[in-house]
Amino acid sequence: MSEKEITFQEALREALYGAMIKDPNLIIIGEDVGPWGGAYGVARGMYQEFGSDRVRDTPISESAIIGYSLGAALNGVRVVCEIQFCDILPVCWDQLANQAAKYFYMSGGTAPVPMTIRVKYGTREGGGPSHAQSLHGAFMQFPGLKVAVPGTPADAKGMLTAAIYDPNPVLFMESHHLYRTKGMVPEEPDYSIPLGQASVLRSGNDLSIITCGGMVPKAIQAAELLEKEGLSVEVVNLRTVVPLDKETILKSVRKTGRAIVFDEGPLPGGVAAEVGMVIAENCFGELKGPVVRIASQPVPPPYSPVLTRAVVPNVEQVVEAGLKLVKGRSAS
Amino acid sequence: MDLLKKMLQIRLFEERVNKLYGDGLMPGNQHSYRGEEAVAVGVCSSLEPADLIASYHRGNGHMIAKGLDIYRLFAEFLGKEDGYSRGRGGKMHIVVLEKGFLGTNGIVGATVPIACGAAFAAQVRKSGQVAVSFMGDGAVNQGAVHEAMNMASLWKLPVLFVVENNQYAHSVSVTRSSADTCLAHRAFAYNMEGLTVDGNDVLAVKNAAGWAIGKARKGEGPTLLECRTYRWDGHFGGDPGTTYRTREELQQWRDRCPIKNYVAHLTKKGIITAEGYNTIYTEIKEQIEAAATKALEAAEPHPSVALVPLYAEV
């Protein structure tokens, strides 16, 4: 399979474009997806190529965006809808969590819902309380929804393709930290990664760092710094929060005996807590130390950079925790 | 005559369900449609087979008017395996796509954007289908409904919004909840046509709905059809419906019974006699009783049905 180096954003666009070509009944809707090309440029060029019938701008009506996507999915049309950032999801919570997530189940398994909801997320300086959340963990509490959190450009393309063709509602969360990151991505238009499979980005024997989405590059950075201190570190990229790939997580932690769960969402609860418990329940005998969660502080995201840095998890914290777990000390 | 039979089916079905609820046999709640039969039947009789409808918690009338099977409805209300949702949904969460039924729902207003989405798909696929979105006077004040109506009118979707104005949400009347009590006026805010019709006159509803559905099918966009009607029973099973409504008001509306009105009309035209009516009534009552009995005796779902399937297979 030939590959080329492209950005996460370009990888998303390739997946979306490939699907638009392949399926004439695929529609893109959202605010500013038309001529503007989407708030983060993922739909760039699509309006010009496919026209306003297939790439539609909507008013600022998130409940309608999700509800329409659901209704269309029930009547033979796949929709990829875009919600500009995850902080807006509570606005359309009912359509997403009560309706889209539950239709297949409550129809007795007769009404599949093939829809994809693309959402930007991620902590950031200057975002403030309603523009900087990471809500991927919250959606674990709404069974029926799949939650995809790609961590690399290859993930972005493969998982978005898989999400679009999945007959279930997929909340596809794109970390804005990753949009401009580059990576090798298979060139075939149909490249697809099944949802529910984590990937091991780095192999190691002393410590497992389990992470997802925007924290993936930071986890790799932390692993590289820990290597300099003589540690052998494994990095597990969850890729999906729902379904969670427990097998890959447990295989890693059984090997290393030590786990740091590194996630951008806030404590309490969320991805860090769930993964932590999965490990504790299943690997108790193999653990050489407690599971450590490195996540955001339990406050709304603040605005100023200084305040933001006091809230979001960082590479130093992971390195510190890793050294303490493995060597019982701080950095040299 | 089909109109009469359908309305009677709904009336007698609701009376049987009310009894099931009263006897403590139904795990969930009942939201009776008695008194409103002309709306569901009038609208649905103007549909083509491929058209779709979306309903809400007071959906028994819509489900029967759309042709859902009465035995499977009873079974679902009782939580049985033979129910449309295998006991996972209950009365308020029934979805039957093969009959164009987009769902009853437990969240007021939620099915309005969904119905519009189905209409959107019809527009994209050029399928010629129309979607009807039923809602009550309570739902019109829900935010998602405004969003859905605005976008439907903007995109000229093939959808008909039917507002069943039975004057009360639960205990709060339209006069106490809507700044403008003529609900058809809302259409103008979205550049749509809005009509108010006597919801207890099945022919008036049928004609108005037929016109609006035809308009939608031609690509001329949505309409808001407000049907003025009244529910005979309380909002839900345990509500007598008389603490927030006067007995005089209730009696006035019962005197304007849609079935009685239509029978009078058919009698005048020589289409039916009292005897003929009694025969139909008895026949339908027996069918419903048989379906209820069968459902009461039907098997429960296996506990595993609660857990799988959660996802459609990839």
Side-chain angles (χ1 to χ4, degrees):
Chain A
M1 192 155 48
S2 70
E3 298 184 324
K4 68 175 192 282
E5 194 187 44
I6 55 175
T7 64
F8 189 91
Q9 183 204 51
E10 278 160 21
L12 290 170
R13 191 142 48 78
E14 274 189 22
L16 191 50
Y17 184 76
M20 286 293 276
I21 295 277
K22 187 167 172 183
D23 182 0
N25 274 341
L26 182 65
I27 306 291
I28 298 171
I29 69 172
E31 296 157 28
D32 308 297
V33 296
W36 185 261
Y40 312 103
V42 172
R44 195 168 61 239
M46 308 226 186
Y47 173 83
Q48 289 76 8
E49 179 156 346
F50 299 103
S52 61
D53 272 350
R54 292 187 66 195
V55 184
R56 292 205 195 188
D57 278 332
T58 64
I60 301 176
S61 301
E62 282 81 12
S63 292
I65 291 172
I66 305 290
Y68 273 48
S69 300
L70 167 57
L74 296 174
N75 195 25
V77 166
R78 274 182 213 270
V79 177
V80 175
C81 63
E82 182 176 311
I83 300 289
Q84 291 191 349
F85 36 96
C86 78
D87 313 57
I88 300 175
L89 290 174
V91 173
C92 49
W93 206 262
D94 177 61
Q95 288 295 325
L96 183 56
N98 274 333
Q99 311 305 332
K102 297 179 188 175
Y103 249 71
F104 178 72
Y105 184 87
M106 68 192 197
S107 67
T110 59
V113 179
M115 67 187 263
T116 306
I117 306 116
R118 288 184 44 244
V119 185
K120 179 210 87 163
Y121 84 98
T123 54
R124 60 192 186 101
E125 299 171 5
S130 67
H131 263 58
Q133 290 176 82
S134 299
L135 292 178
H136 47 297
F139 290 93
M140 291 192 297
Q141 296 272 284
F142 297 101
L145 211 52
K146 292 191 181 179
V147 182
V149 194
T152 66
D155 284 354
K157 181 173 178 178
M159 291 173 67
L160 184 54
T161 302
I164 290 171
Y165 293 113
D166 197 311
N168 295 286
V170 180
L171 185 59
F172 195 86
M173 304 198 66
E174 303 164 3
S175 167
H176 73 91
H177 294 300
L178 300 178
Y179 279 135
R180 306 234 184 283
T181 60
K182 287 190 177 167
M184 295 305 285
V185 178
E187 285 191 281
E188 65 185 85
D190 272 2
Y191 173 60
S192 180
I193 297 174
L195 298 180
Q197 277 183 14
S199 74
V200 177
L201 294 176
R202 257 174 151 274
S203 253
N205 295 302
D206 296 328
L207 169 69
S208 303
I209 301 177
I210 299 142
T211 188
C212 68
M215 298 294 98
V216 164
K218 294 196 171 160
I220 302 222
Q221 231 188 320
E224 285 166 357
L225 288 169
L226 284 165
E227 301 254 298
K228 294 204 170 91
E229 299 276 351
L231 270 61
S232 160
V233 182
E234 184 147 293
V235 175
V236 176
N237 166 22
L238 290 174
R239 285 189 177 146
T240 50
V241 166
V242 183
L244 197 61
D245 184 354
K246 295 180 184 174
E247 205 182 296
T248 302
I249 296 167
L250 295 175
K251 183 167 171 210
S252 176
V253 180
R254 284 189 177 121
K255 181 171 73 163
T256 63
R258 297 179 193 90
I260 292 176
V261 193
F262 177 36
D263 186 69
E264 212 170 350
L267 294 177
V271 175
E274 177 61 18
V275 173
M277 268 317 292
V278 165
I279 295 169
E281 277 175 348
N282 291 281
C283 299
F284 189 69
E286 288 108 325
L287 284 173
K288 297 175 186 155
V291 177
V292 176
R293 295 174 297 165
I294 308 248
S296 280
Q297 296 298 314
V299 292
Y303 168 79
S304 101
V306 164
L307 296 181
T308 303
R309 286 193 290 272
V311 167
V312 309
N314 59 46
V315 173
E316 291 70 36
Q317 289 165 341
V318 179
V319 171
E320 181 82 31
L323 285 171
K324 200 153 156 227
L325 264 177
V326 180
K327 300 200 171 177
R329 63 157 174 88
S330 299
S332 50
Chain B
M1 283 297 285
D2 281 342
L3 297 178
L4 175 62
K5 283 182 183 164
K6 269 280 175 242
M7 287 199 286
L8 263 177
Q9 245 186 351
I10 297 171
R11 175 68 57 84
L12 293 171
F13 178 84
E14 290 296 60
E15 288 176 358
R16 188 65 186 89
V17 177
N18 287 349
K19 182 169 191 309
L20 278 175
Y21 179 84
D23 288 344
L25 297 171
M26 214 169 117
N29 221 311
Q30 158 66 332
H31 299 90
S32 168
Y33 198 72
R34 273 203 321 166
E36 303 188 27
E37 298 86 355
V39 182
V41 173
V43 173
C44 291
S45 67
S46 292
L47 295 172
E48 302 284 311
D51 290 339
L52 309 123
I53 70 170
S55 173
Y56 56 103
H57 57 276
R58 196 175 311 286
N60 301 348
H62 309 134
M63 292 194 280
I64 290 173
K66 194 66 173 71
L68 267 56
D69 180 83
I70 288 186
Y71 162 62
R72 294 197 69 190
L73 287 176
F74 274 130
E76 187 58 35
F77 292 15
L78 296 170
K80 303 293 180 85
E81 169 69 50
D82 274 353
Y84 274 112
S85 303
R86 304 179 71 188
R88 289 171 153 194
K91 181 182 84 66
M92 283 199 297
H93 310 95
I94 292 179
V95 177
V96 186
L97 293 185
E98 69 178 5
K99 296 235 165 160
F101 186 70
L102 295 166
T104 47
N105 206 284
I107 305 292
V108 173
T111 53
V112 181
I114 296 169
C116 291
F120 172 44
Q123 189 181 70
V124 165
R125 288 197 295 123
K126 301 181 166 52
S127 67
Q129 294 164 303
V130 170
V132 176
S133 176
F134 287 100
M135 72 196 85
D137 49 277
V140 296
N141 294 318
Q142 187 72 263
V145 172
H146 295 285
E147 293 186 24
M149 287 186 176
N150 175 56
M151 218 150 102
S153 184
L154 189 65
W155 290 358
K156 284 190 132 45
L157 295 183
V159 64
L160 166 61
F161 299 108
V162 177
V163 177
E164 300 179 311
N165 184 355
N166 63 15
Q167 324 298 317
Y168 296 85
H170 170 176
S171 67
V172 177
S173 67
V174 168
T175 52
R176 289 207 296 135
S177 64
S178 287
D180 182 348
T181 57
C182 175
L183 303 180
H185 286 166
R186 288 161 192 258
F188 311 146
Y190 311 120
N191 203 25
M192 280 193 305
E193 285 180 290
L195 317 171
T196 301
V197 82
D198 177 359
N200 281 20
D201 178 344
V202 70
L203 292 178
V205 174
K206 182 179 164 66
N207 289 335
W211 168 79
I213 288 165
K215 200 184 105 182
R217 211 183 301 283
K218 281 190 287 205
E220 291 167 21
T223 307
L224 195 161
L225 178 62
E226 176 191 8
C227 299
R228 296 256 169 108
T229 183
Y230 202 82
R231 55 168 159 81
W232 289 9
D233 300 308
H235 161 65
F236 69 97
D239 166 27
T242 48
T243 55
Y244 48 86
R245 308 187 300 182
T246 65
R247 290 178 199 274
E248 291 75 41
E249 184 185 85
L250 175 53
Q251 194 52 53
Q252 269 168 31
W253 279 91
R254 284 184 78 127
D255 290 341
R256 295 180 48 212
C257 168
I259 293 175
K260 206 171 83 175
N261 286 346
Y262 192 53
V263 169
H265 166 85
L266 291 176
T267 305
K268 209 161 109 180
K269 291 203 134 188
I271 297 175
I272 199 172
T273 60
E275 219 174 272
Y277 174 76
N278 286 335
T279 307
I280 296 171
Y281 185 100
T282 308
E283 202 176 282
I284 293 175
K285 188 141 192 224
E286 280 167 8
Q287 281 166 1
I288 286 174
E289 192 54 45
T293 303
K294 187 174 169 200
L296 283 164
E297 291 163 3
E300 301 278 354
H302 188 270
S304 64
V305 171
L307 303 177
V308 285
L310 177 61
Y311 296 119
E313 257 172 68
V314 172

